[in-house]
Amino acid sequence: MNLNSPLFDKVRTRPVAEEARPEDALQCQHPACARKGEYRAPRGRDYEGQYLFFCLDHVREYNQTYNYFNGMSDAAVQAYMKDALTGHRPTWQSGVNGAPDPGAASKIDSAALLRERIERLRRMRQEAAAESKRVRVGKAAMKALELLGLDETADKALVRRRFKEMAKRLHPDLNEGDRSREDKLRAIIDAYNYLKSVGLA
């Protein structure tokens, strides 16, 4: 591997961080203390992220007297506690720009929504059951129904009634022996017999 390659000219590396040595530790920031300040303590409100360094004895003393809310009024402390509930992030009321819609209900009636959904599912099941019960009509059966002047929604009783009406109208014995419509009568009888054979009459 050639380390003098022009490809490695632009590679940057971080400098090695120097390890913190114990002798580099700060001196305790308590007045008149010469020990090392190995323990950090927060400086206080308005100094977030800044620390004081103390020895063990003085950090304990500092922590016992530390009060983040020192110098704040009761109202300011209450406001801080209220904001702490939301992580000091802004919040808004629900609705459009925080204003409730006067026409909308203030609470959603979950029971009514559930009843509506159950009713919708029940209707869908009934429609599916009615669809599955409906007899599928083939082309020949459709042609036979059309000869009787009916469509695929006709039930057995309607097919029988229509056949009887048309047979009476076309039969030569009921038309003073007129045989001119005998072919139409035969076609209707054949259509009715076919519908009977497939279970539609």
Side-chain angles (χ1 to χ4, degrees):
M1 183 165 148
N2 182 6
L3 296 179
N4 295 324
S5 167
L7 298 175
F8 290 103
D9 285 353
K10 307 241 188 247
V11 176
R12 293 183 183 175
T13 59
R14 287 187 190 161
V16 178
E18 294 182 19
E19 292 183 16
R21 296 183 186 89
E23 60 265 16
D24 292 345
L26 298 173
Q27 185 178 352
C28 178
Q29 291 181 317
H30 192 273
C33 181
R35 289 184 277 181
K36 292 181 182 174
E38 300 176 274
Y39 303 97
R40 66 182 194 171
R43 282 190 66 186
R45 194 177 69 254
D46 300 329
Y47 296 101
E48 278 79 9
Q50 297 180 14
Y51 299 94
L52 298 170
F53 290 89
F54 295 110
C55 62
L56 183 61
D57 293 334
H58 289 123
V59 81
R60 285 180 181 160
E61 181 184 325
Y62 180 82
N63 286 341
Q64 287 178 351
T65 61
Y66 179 75
N67 182 1
Y68 182 81
F69 301 106
N70 190 23
M72 289 177 70
S73 66
D74 288 342
V77 172
Q78 292 296 325
Y80 182 89
M81 290 171 64
K82 184 178 177 186
D83 286 346
L85 293 174
T86 59
H88 302 285
R89 290 185 296 268
T91 58
W92 297 269
Q93 289 182 338
S94 59
V96 179
N97 296 329
D101 184 8
S106 60
K107 291 183 181 177
I108 296 174
D109 187 6
S110 58
L113 291 174
L114 183 61
R115 282 191 297 273
E116 182 182 322
R117 185 171 183 194
I118 290 170
E119 181 63 27
R120 192 175 340 117
L121 288 172
R122 188 183 60 77
R123 270 183 285 161
M124 287 172 58
R125 286 187 184 136
Q126 285 177 345
E127 290 171 5
E131 182 69 26
S132 65
K133 286 180 184 176
R134 198 171 84 184
V135 179
R136 302 281 185 244
V137 179
K139 288 183 180 179
M142 193 65 198
K143 192 172 184 181
L145 285 168
E146 284 174 3
L147 276 172
L148 294 172
L150 300 171
D151 61 1
E152 71 270 3
T153 59
D155 61 347
K156 290 181 180 183
L158 181 59
V159 170
R160 285 189 206 120
R161 192 169 50 243
R162 182 60 61 90
F163 170 70
K164 286 180 184 178
E165 289 171 5
M166 292 185 82
K168 284 180 185 177
R169 229 180 324 134
L170 299 173
H171 200 278
D173 292 344
L174 298 173
N175 290 307
E176 302 169 2
D178 182 15
R179 294 183 174 270
S180 63
R181 296 186 277 184
E182 249 183 30
D183 291 336
K184 179 121 175 148
L185 178 64
R186 279 193 203 289
I188 287 170
I189 292 171
D190 290 342
Y192 179 72
N193 287 337
Y194 178 75
L195 291 172
K196 214 170 176 184
S197 70
V198 295
L200 292 175

